[in-house]
Amino acid sequence: MATTTSAVPPLATLNTPNSATTMDEKLSGNFLTLENPVFCCFLFWASVLVIKMLLMSLLTALQRFRNKVFPNKEDLFFKDIEVQFDDPHVERVRRAHRNDMENILPYFTMAILYICTNPDPTVACILFRVVAIARILHTLVYAFYPVPQPSRVIAFGVAFAITIYMACAVALDVLKHI
């Protein structure tokens, strides 16, 4: 059985929509429009993640009231409590929220850049969906119902790996123009 080698890097093969797309078509296209199904898919799943992140703020407030833990004197609604910063329930939710900001915001940036490379719509939409589900699972196993590792690291790692993949795909796609 003869094996052939390709000059196309493995990551770039998943990012090639079809061979009929010329470079002029690729460069002249505006991929950030509602006519682009990849962009629409991204908008939907990005909206899901933004809503999830906003709900984390409410969950932090809920934990503060539930445990009567407030970081500012003016927030002390209840008598006989003092300013407190180290409640484990509140801090767990805050860490999960911070982890979202540290990982979802860079993902948004890379996903937009990835869309501009005109990726295969099926692959791109699967990646967007998997990242959103992984980040939701990460929140569930970190902030809502803590479960032993490796559940959290798997949920984190899946979304992280996809963000890295997108960064590599973008870099490889634009490398030929440098």
Side-chain angles (χ1 to χ4, degrees):
M1 182 181 288
T3 60
T4 60
T5 58
S6 171
V8 179
L11 285 176
T13 58
L14 285 177
N15 202 35
T16 306
N18 76 54
S19 58
T21 304
T22 67
M23 189 52 63
D24 289 335
E25 290 171 333
K26 197 169 184 179
L27 292 175
S28 66
N30 182 0
F31 301 108
L32 305 180
T33 67
L34 294 179
E35 286 94 36
N36 182 355
V38 174
F39 185 60
C40 290
C41 184
F42 168 74
L43 290 177
F44 174 79
W45 289 106
S47 298
V48 168
L49 287 174
V50 166
I51 290 167
K52 186 197 87 57
M53 288 175 65
L54 291 171
L55 290 175
M56 292 301 289
S57 297
L58 295 177
L59 182 60
T60 303
L62 179 68
Q63 288 287 35
R64 288 193 185 285
F65 277 96
R66 180 181 292 156
N67 297 298
K68 297 180 181 176
V69 175
F70 301 97
N72 304 306
K73 199 150 188 78
E74 65 271 13
D75 296 336
L76 300 176
F77 295 107
F78 305 100
K79 294 182 181 190
D80 301 328
I81 61 171
E82 295 182 14
V83 171
Q84 187 178 350
F85 297 100
D86 59 354
D87 181 78
H89 303 289
V90 173
E91 290 307 310
R92 176 173 285 277
V93 174
R94 291 183 70 225
R95 285 191 307 271
H97 193 191
R98 186 177 64 227
N99 187 282
D100 278 349
M101 291 184 286
E102 292 170 350
N103 291 280
I104 293 174
L105 299 178
Y107 159 74
F108 284 164
T109 302
M110 284 320 309
I112 289 288
L113 296 175
Y114 179 68
I115 291 167
C116 293
T117 67
N118 194 21
D120 178 88
T122 303
V123 172
C125 288
I126 289 171
L127 293 176
F128 300 151
R129 191 175 302 124
V130 169
V131 167
I133 292 168
R135 290 308 307 178
I136 290 167
L137 287 173
H138 181 269
T139 296
L140 291 175
V141 300
Y142 195 1
F144 280 94
Y145 185 74
V147 296
Q149 291 287 15
S151 59
R152 193 170 79 225
V153 77
I154 291 170
F156 165 82
V158 166
F160 187 80
I162 290 172
T163 304
I164 293 291
Y165 164 75
M166 288 180 178
C168 291
V170 169
L172 290 173
D173 195 58
V174 300
L175 192 60
K176 57 190 166 215
H177 302 290
I178 296 177

